[in-house]
PDB file of all heavy atoms in Angstrom:
ATOM      1  N   GLN A 149      -9.718 -58.820   4.390  1.00 96.00           N
ATOM      2  CA  GLN A 149      -9.494 -60.263   4.303  1.00 96.00           C
ATOM      3  C   GLN A 149      -9.855 -60.987   5.526  1.00 96.00           C
ATOM      4  O   GLN A 149     -10.172 -62.116   5.529  1.00 96.00           O
ATOM      5  CB  GLN A 149      -8.090 -60.472   3.756  1.00 96.00           C
ATOM      6  CG  GLN A 149      -7.890 -60.058   2.363  1.00 96.00           C
ATOM      7  CD  GLN A 149      -6.390 -60.018   1.948  1.00 96.00           C
ATOM      8  OE1 GLN A 149      -5.539 -60.074   2.865  1.00 96.00           O
ATOM      9  NE2 GLN A 149      -6.082 -60.100   0.709  1.00 96.00           N
ATOM     10  N   ASN A 150      -9.624 -60.270   6.682  1.00 97.00           N
ATOM     11  CA  ASN A 150      -9.880 -60.852   7.954  1.00 97.00           C
ATOM     12  C   ASN A 150     -11.345 -60.567   8.467  1.00 97.00           C
ATOM     13  O   ASN A 150     -11.700 -60.858   9.592  1.00 97.00           O
ATOM     14  CB  ASN A 150      -8.862 -60.336   9.033  1.00 97.00           C
ATOM     15  CG  ASN A 150      -7.541 -60.811   8.795  1.00 97.00           C
ATOM     16  OD1 ASN A 150      -7.267 -61.876   8.349  1.00 97.00           O
ATOM     17  ND2 ASN A 150      -6.533 -59.971   9.230  1.00 97.00           N
ATOM     18  N   GLY A 151     -12.148 -59.972   7.570  1.00 97.00           N
ATOM     19  CA  GLY A 151     -13.542 -59.679   7.887  1.00 97.00           C
ATOM     20  C   GLY A 151     -13.698 -58.496   8.693  1.00 97.00           C
ATOM     21  O   GLY A 151     -14.872 -58.257   9.239  1.00 97.00           O
ATOM     22  N   MET A 152     -12.762 -57.618   8.947  1.00 98.00           N
ATOM     23  CA  MET A 152     -12.818 -56.452   9.774  1.00 98.00           C
ATOM     24  C   MET A 152     -13.023 -55.193   8.972  1.00 98.00           C
ATOM     25  O   MET A 152     -12.618 -55.072   7.825  1.00 98.00           O
ATOM     26  CB  MET A 152     -11.493 -56.351  10.591  1.00 98.00           C
ATOM     27  CG  MET A 152     -11.044 -57.644  11.282  1.00 98.00           C
ATOM     28  SD  MET A 152     -12.251 -58.233  12.388  1.00 98.00           S
ATOM     29  CE  MET A 152     -11.995 -57.110  13.848  1.00 98.00           C
ATOM     30  N   HIS A 153     -13.721 -54.281   9.647  1.00 98.00           N
ATOM     31  CA  HIS A 153     -13.935 -52.968   9.120  1.00 98.00           C
ATOM     32  C   HIS A 153     -12.626 -52.067   9.240  1.00 98.00           C
ATOM     33  O   HIS A 153     -11.839 -52.335  10.267  1.00 98.00           O
ATOM     34  CB  HIS A 153     -15.066 -52.197   9.763  1.00 98.00           C
ATOM     35  CG  HIS A 153     -16.381 -53.069   9.836  1.00 98.00           C
ATOM     36  ND1 HIS A 153     -16.826 -53.741   8.762  1.00 98.00           N
ATOM     37  CD2 HIS A 153     -17.176 -53.181  10.961  1.00 98.00           C
ATOM     38  CE1 HIS A 153     -17.977 -54.354   9.206  1.00 98.00           C
ATOM     39  NE2 HIS A 153     -18.177 -54.121  10.444  1.00 98.00           N
ATOM     40  N   THR A 154     -12.487 -51.017   8.479  1.00 98.00           N
ATOM     41  CA  THR A 154     -11.338 -50.192   8.641  1.00 98.00           C
ATOM     42  C   THR A 154     -11.847 -48.756   8.747  1.00 98.00           C
ATOM     43  O   THR A 154     -12.555 -48.138   7.900  1.00 98.00           O
ATOM     44  CB  THR A 154     -10.422 -50.259   7.413  1.00 98.00           C
ATOM     45  OG1 THR A 154     -10.065 -51.629   7.242  1.00 98.00           O
ATOM     46  CG2 THR A 154      -9.155 -49.359   7.683  1.00 98.00           C
ATOM     47  N   LEU A 155     -11.441 -48.024   9.821  1.00 97.00           N
ATOM     48  CA  LEU A 155     -11.654 -46.643   9.944  1.00 97.00           C
ATOM     49  C   LEU A 155     -10.439 -45.875   9.321  1.00 97.00           C
ATOM     50  O   LEU A 155      -9.310 -46.144   9.724  1.00 97.00           O
ATOM     51  CB  LEU A 155     -11.828 -46.211  11.421  1.00 97.00           C
ATOM     52  CG  LEU A 155     -11.794 -44.726  11.731  1.00 97.00           C
ATOM     53  CD1 LEU A 155     -12.953 -44.004  11.026  1.00 97.00           C
ATOM     54  CD2 LEU A 155     -11.797 -44.489  13.222  1.00 97.00           C
ATOM     55  N   CYS A 156     -10.777 -45.085   8.340  1.00 97.00           N
ATOM     56  CA  CYS A 156      -9.738 -44.267   7.644  1.00 97.00           C
ATOM     57  C   CYS A 156      -9.790 -42.890   8.125  1.00 97.00           C
ATOM     58  O   CYS A 156     -10.806 -42.090   7.909  1.00 97.00           O
ATOM     59  CB  CYS A 156      -9.897 -44.402   6.165  1.00 97.00           C
ATOM     60  SG  CYS A 156      -9.923 -45.998   5.477  1.00 97.00           S
ATOM     61  N   LEU A 157      -8.732 -42.406   8.784  1.00 96.00           N
ATOM     62  CA  LEU A 157      -8.650 -40.986   9.204  1.00 96.00           C
ATOM     63  C   LEU A 157      -7.986 -40.248   8.034  1.00 96.00           C
ATOM     64  O   LEU A 157      -6.941 -40.659   7.536  1.00 96.00           O
ATOM     65  CB  LEU A 157      -7.781 -40.898  10.422  1.00 96.00           C
ATOM     66  CG  LEU A 157      -8.272 -41.735  11.684  1.00 96.00           C
ATOM     67  CD1 LEU A 157      -7.229 -41.588  12.854  1.00 96.00           C
ATOM     68  CD2 LEU A 157      -9.671 -41.382  12.037  1.00 96.00           C
ATOM     69  N   LEU A 158      -8.651 -39.123   7.649  1.00 95.00           N
ATOM     70  CA  LEU A 158      -8.259 -38.422   6.466  1.00 95.00           C
ATOM     71  C   LEU A 158      -7.349 -37.321   6.784  1.00 95.00           C
ATOM     72  O   LEU A 158      -7.475 -36.593   7.801  1.00 95.00           O
ATOM     73  CB  LEU A 158      -9.538 -37.967   5.691  1.00 95.00           C
ATOM     74  CG  LEU A 158     -10.550 -39.133   5.431  1.00 95.00           C
ATOM     75  CD1 LEU A 158     -11.613 -38.622   4.555  1.00 95.00           C
ATOM     76  CD2 LEU A 158      -9.802 -40.372   4.890  1.00 95.00           C
ATOM     77  N   ASP A 159      -6.505 -37.053   5.849  1.00 92.00           N
ATOM     78  CA  ASP A 159      -5.352 -36.022   6.054  1.00 92.00           C
ATOM     79  C   ASP A 159      -5.733 -34.593   6.331  1.00 92.00           C
ATOM     80  O   ASP A 159      -6.823 -34.138   5.792  1.00 92.00           O
ATOM     81  CB  ASP A 159      -4.492 -36.070   4.775  1.00 92.00           C
ATOM     82  CG  ASP A 159      -3.045 -35.599   5.080  1.00 92.00           C
ATOM     83  OD1 ASP A 159      -2.716 -35.327   6.283  1.00 92.00           O
ATOM     84  OD2 ASP A 159      -2.242 -35.464   4.077  1.00 92.00           O
ATOM     85  N   ILE A 160      -5.033 -33.997   7.255  1.00 88.00           N
ATOM     86  CA  ILE A 160      -5.207 -32.545   7.586  1.00 88.00           C
ATOM     87  C   ILE A 160      -3.876 -31.874   7.306  1.00 88.00           C
ATOM     88  O   ILE A 160      -2.868 -32.301   7.760  1.00 88.00           O
ATOM     89  CB  ILE A 160      -5.599 -32.394   9.052  1.00 88.00           C
ATOM     90  CG1 ILE A 160      -7.006 -33.066   9.319  1.00 88.00           C
ATOM     91  CG2 ILE A 160      -5.746 -30.897   9.441  1.00 88.00           C
ATOM     92  CD1 ILE A 160      -7.313 -33.024  10.857  1.00 88.00           C
ATOM     93  N   LYS A 161      -4.015 -30.752   6.521  1.00 84.00           N
ATOM     94  CA  LYS A 161      -2.812 -29.967   6.286  1.00 84.00           C
ATOM     95  C   LYS A 161      -2.974 -28.599   6.873  1.00 84.00           C
ATOM     96  O   LYS A 161      -3.757 -27.802   6.359  1.00 84.00           O
ATOM     97  CB  LYS A 161      -2.443 -29.934   4.812  1.00 84.00           C
ATOM     98  CG  LYS A 161      -2.178 -31.236   4.055  1.00 84.00           C
ATOM     99  CD  LYS A 161      -0.833 -31.757   4.527  1.00 84.00           C
ATOM    100  CE  LYS A 161      -0.492 -33.002   3.720  1.00 84.00           C
ATOM    101  NZ  LYS A 161       0.782 -33.659   4.265  1.00 84.00           N
ATOM    102  N   VAL A 162      -2.342 -28.306   8.013  1.00 73.00           N
ATOM    103  CA  VAL A 162      -2.513 -27.015   8.684  1.00 73.00           C
ATOM    104  C   VAL A 162      -1.087 -26.483   8.895  1.00 73.00           C
ATOM    105  O   VAL A 162      -0.245 -27.157   9.444  1.00 73.00           O
ATOM    106  CB  VAL A 162      -3.277 -27.166  10.036  1.00 73.00           C
ATOM    107  CG1 VAL A 162      -3.371 -25.849  10.750  1.00 73.00           C
ATOM    108  CG2 VAL A 162      -4.622 -27.757   9.799  1.00 73.00           C
ATOM    109  N   LYS A 163      -0.883 -25.249   8.567  1.00 66.00           N
ATOM    110  CA  LYS A 163       0.350 -24.545   8.740  1.00 66.00           C
ATOM    111  C   LYS A 163       1.495 -25.296   7.995  1.00 66.00           C
ATOM    112  O   LYS A 163       2.546 -25.587   8.587  1.00 66.00           O
ATOM    113  CB  LYS A 163       0.707 -24.332  10.202  1.00 66.00           C
ATOM    114  CG  LYS A 163       1.635 -23.078  10.358  1.00 66.00           C
ATOM    115  CD  LYS A 163       1.818 -22.835  11.886  1.00 66.00           C
ATOM    116  CE  LYS A 163       2.747 -21.635  11.980  1.00 66.00           C
ATOM    117  NZ  LYS A 163       3.019 -21.311  13.475  1.00 66.00           N
ATOM    118  N   GLU A 164       1.274 -25.752   6.837  1.00 64.00           N
ATOM    119  CA  GLU A 164       2.242 -26.485   6.048  1.00 64.00           C
ATOM    120  C   GLU A 164       2.958 -25.514   5.105  1.00 64.00           C
ATOM    121  O   GLU A 164       2.295 -24.550   4.539  1.00 64.00           O
ATOM    122  CB  GLU A 164       1.574 -27.594   5.239  1.00 64.00           C
ATOM    123  CG  GLU A 164       0.936 -28.705   6.080  1.00 64.00           C
ATOM    124  CD  GLU A 164       1.865 -29.795   6.518  1.00 64.00           C
ATOM    125  OE1 GLU A 164       2.919 -29.927   5.891  1.00 64.00           O
ATOM    126  OE2 GLU A 164       1.584 -30.457   7.501  1.00 64.00           O
ATOM    127  N   GLN A 165       4.197 -25.820   4.866  1.00 60.00           N
ATOM    128  CA  GLN A 165       5.032 -24.968   3.904  1.00 60.00           C
ATOM    129  C   GLN A 165       5.121 -25.713   2.589  1.00 60.00           C
ATOM    130  O   GLN A 165       5.245 -26.960   2.528  1.00 60.00           O
ATOM    131  CB  GLN A 165       6.388 -24.650   4.473  1.00 60.00           C
ATOM    132  CG  GLN A 165       6.343 -23.810   5.731  1.00 60.00           C
ATOM    133  CD  GLN A 165       7.786 -23.628   6.316  1.00 60.00           C
ATOM    134  OE1 GLN A 165       8.203 -24.483   7.126  1.00 60.00           O
ATOM    135  NE2 GLN A 165       8.495 -22.532   5.905  1.00 60.00           N
ATOM    136  N   SER A 166       5.213 -24.871   1.523  1.00 64.00           N
ATOM    137  CA  SER A 166       5.560 -25.539   0.249  1.00 64.00           C
ATOM    138  C   SER A 166       6.996 -25.953   0.207  1.00 64.00           C
ATOM    139  O   SER A 166       7.740 -25.442   1.045  1.00 64.00           O
ATOM    140  CB  SER A 166       5.295 -24.520  -0.927  1.00 64.00           C
ATOM    141  OG  SER A 166       6.183 -23.463  -0.777  1.00 64.00           O
ATOM    142  N   LEU A 167       7.344 -26.802  -0.627  1.00 67.00           N
ATOM    143  CA  LEU A 167       8.721 -27.287  -0.729  1.00 67.00           C
ATOM    144  C   LEU A 167       9.692 -26.125  -0.964  1.00 67.00           C
ATOM    145  O   LEU A 167      10.777 -26.020  -0.289  1.00 67.00           O
ATOM    146  CB  LEU A 167       8.944 -28.314  -1.810  1.00 67.00           C
ATOM    147  CG  LEU A 167      10.302 -28.945  -1.943  1.00 67.00           C
ATOM    148  CD1 LEU A 167      10.761 -29.650  -0.711  1.00 67.00           C
ATOM    149  CD2 LEU A 167      10.280 -29.915  -3.151  1.00 67.00           C
ATOM    150  N   GLU A 168       9.298 -25.181  -1.842  1.00 69.00           N
ATOM    151  CA  GLU A 168      10.126 -23.940  -2.130  1.00 69.00           C
ATOM    152  C   GLU A 168      10.358 -23.151  -0.891  1.00 69.00           C
ATOM    153  O   GLU A 168      11.465 -22.795  -0.571  1.00 69.00           O
ATOM    154  CB  GLU A 168       9.513 -23.167  -3.278  1.00 69.00           C
ATOM    155  CG  GLU A 168      10.328 -21.945  -3.613  1.00 69.00           C
ATOM    156  CD  GLU A 168       9.579 -21.135  -4.693  1.00 69.00           C
ATOM    157  OE1 GLU A 168       8.522 -21.547  -5.167  1.00 69.00           O
ATOM    158  OE2 GLU A 168      10.110 -20.013  -4.968  1.00 69.00           O
ATOM    159  N   ASN A 169       9.292 -22.852  -0.151  1.00 64.00           N
ATOM    160  CA  ASN A 169       9.461 -22.017   1.004  1.00 64.00           C
ATOM    161  C   ASN A 169      10.206 -22.672   2.057  1.00 64.00           C
ATOM    162  O   ASN A 169      10.959 -22.117   2.826  1.00 64.00           O
ATOM    163  CB  ASN A 169       8.058 -21.602   1.512  1.00 64.00           C
ATOM    164  CG  ASN A 169       7.402 -20.576   0.589  1.00 64.00           C
ATOM    165  OD1 ASN A 169       8.108 -19.721   0.012  1.00 64.00           O
ATOM    166  ND2 ASN A 169       6.061 -20.624   0.535  1.00 64.00           N
ATOM    167  N   LEU A 170      10.024 -24.056   2.125  1.00 66.00           N
ATOM    168  CA  LEU A 170      10.738 -24.800   3.206  1.00 66.00           C
ATOM    169  C   LEU A 170      12.223 -24.801   2.872  1.00 66.00           C
ATOM    170  O   LEU A 170      13.027 -24.581   3.805  1.00 66.00           O
ATOM    171  CB  LEU A 170      10.214 -26.268   3.214  1.00 66.00           C
ATOM    172  CG  LEU A 170      10.780 -27.185   4.266  1.00 66.00           C
ATOM    173  CD1 LEU A 170      10.328 -26.648   5.669  1.00 66.00           C
ATOM    174  CD2 LEU A 170      10.221 -28.600   4.070  1.00 66.00           C
ATOM    175  N   MET A 171      12.580 -24.969   1.609  1.00 73.00           N
ATOM    176  CA  MET A 171      14.044 -25.034   1.247  1.00 73.00           C
ATOM    177  C   MET A 171      14.631 -23.653   1.480  1.00 73.00           C
ATOM    178  O   MET A 171      15.862 -23.483   1.795  1.00 73.00           O
ATOM    179  CB  MET A 171      14.180 -25.502  -0.209  1.00 73.00           C
ATOM    180  CG  MET A 171      13.803 -26.907  -0.358  1.00 73.00           C
ATOM    181  SD  MET A 171      13.904 -27.411  -2.126  1.00 73.00           S
ATOM    182  CE  MET A 171      15.673 -27.282  -2.443  1.00 73.00           C
ATOM    183  N   LYS A 172      13.962 -22.604   1.220  1.00 69.00           N
ATOM    184  CA  LYS A 172      14.397 -21.146   1.308  1.00 69.00           C
ATOM    185  C   LYS A 172      14.306 -20.638   2.749  1.00 69.00           C
ATOM    186  O   LYS A 172      14.712 -19.500   2.985  1.00 69.00           O
ATOM    187  CB  LYS A 172      13.742 -20.338   0.399  1.00 69.00           C
ATOM    188  CG  LYS A 172      14.029 -20.616  -1.117  1.00 69.00           C
ATOM    189  CD  LYS A 172      13.445 -19.642  -2.046  1.00 69.00           C
ATOM    190  CE  LYS A 172      13.796 -19.989  -3.487  1.00 69.00           C
ATOM    191  NZ  LYS A 172      13.254 -19.004  -4.432  1.00 69.00           N
ATOM    192  N   GLY A 173      13.758 -21.437   3.698  1.00 72.00           N
ATOM    193  CA  GLY A 173      13.550 -21.064   5.049  1.00 72.00           C
ATOM    194  C   GLY A 173      12.604 -19.896   5.291  1.00 72.00           C
ATOM    195  O   GLY A 173      12.669 -19.195   6.304  1.00 72.00           O
ATOM    196  N   ARG A 174      11.610 -19.807   4.369  1.00 73.00           N
ATOM    197  CA  ARG A 174      10.665 -18.766   4.542  1.00 73.00           C
ATOM    198  C   ARG A 174       9.460 -19.177   5.320  1.00 73.00           C
ATOM    199  O   ARG A 174       8.932 -20.278   5.055  1.00 73.00           O
ATOM    200  CB  ARG A 174      10.170 -18.216   3.137  1.00 73.00           C
ATOM    201  CG  ARG A 174      11.312 -17.653   2.329  1.00 73.00           C
ATOM    202  CD  ARG A 174      10.825 -17.053   1.025  1.00 73.00           C
ATOM    203  NE  ARG A 174      10.219 -17.995   0.111  1.00 73.00           N
ATOM    204  CZ  ARG A 174      10.212 -17.881  -1.206  1.00 73.00           C
ATOM    205  NH1 ARG A 174      10.783 -16.876  -1.795  1.00 73.00           N
ATOM    206  NH2 ARG A 174       9.625 -18.835  -1.988  1.00 73.00           N
ATOM    207  N   LYS A 175       9.074 -18.504   6.311  1.00 70.00           N
ATOM    208  CA  LYS A 175       7.930 -18.836   7.174  1.00 70.00           C
ATOM    209  C   LYS A 175       6.629 -18.479   6.567  1.00 70.00           C
ATOM    210  O   LYS A 175       5.840 -17.594   7.010  1.00 70.00           O
ATOM    211  CB  LYS A 175       8.112 -18.174   8.628  1.00 70.00           C
ATOM    212  CG  LYS A 175       9.291 -18.647   9.381  1.00 70.00           C
ATOM    213  CD  LYS A 175       9.057 -20.137   9.816  1.00 70.00           C
ATOM    214  CE  LYS A 175      10.214 -20.580  10.818  1.00 70.00           C
ATOM    215  NZ  LYS A 175       9.980 -21.922  11.302  1.00 70.00           N
ATOM    216  N   ILE A 176       6.378 -18.963   5.342  1.00 68.00           N
ATOM    217  CA  ILE A 176       5.180 -18.733   4.573  1.00 68.00           C
ATOM    218  C   ILE A 176       4.466 -20.045   4.508  1.00 68.00           C
ATOM    219  O   ILE A 176       4.969 -21.039   4.067  1.00 68.00           O
ATOM    220  CB  ILE A 176       5.453 -18.197   3.223  1.00 68.00           C
ATOM    221  CG1 ILE A 176       6.227 -16.867   3.271  1.00 68.00           C
ATOM    222  CG2 ILE A 176       4.169 -17.955   2.426  1.00 68.00           C
ATOM    223  CD1 ILE A 176       6.786 -16.341   1.855  1.00 68.00           C
TER     224      ILE A 176
END
């Protein structure tokens, strides 16, 4: 709306835990 371009930095998921493993404290 202000006439400006937008640089979008896209997500990186590295060494992320699933919700289940996070809740159970498992380093998976």
Side-chain angles (χ1 to χ4, degrees):
Q149 288 169 342
N150 290 331
M152 310 301 284
H153 312 313
T154 306
L155 171 60
C156 304
L157 304 179
L158 308 188
D159 203 3
I160 297 174
K161 297 291 187 186
V162 178
K163 206 176 180 182
E164 297 275 339
Q165 293 175 276
S166 67
L167 182 59
E168 179 183 357
N169 287 329
L170 186 63
M171 293 177 65
K172 293 183 177 180
R174 297 186 298 208
K175 295 289 185 178
I176 300 174

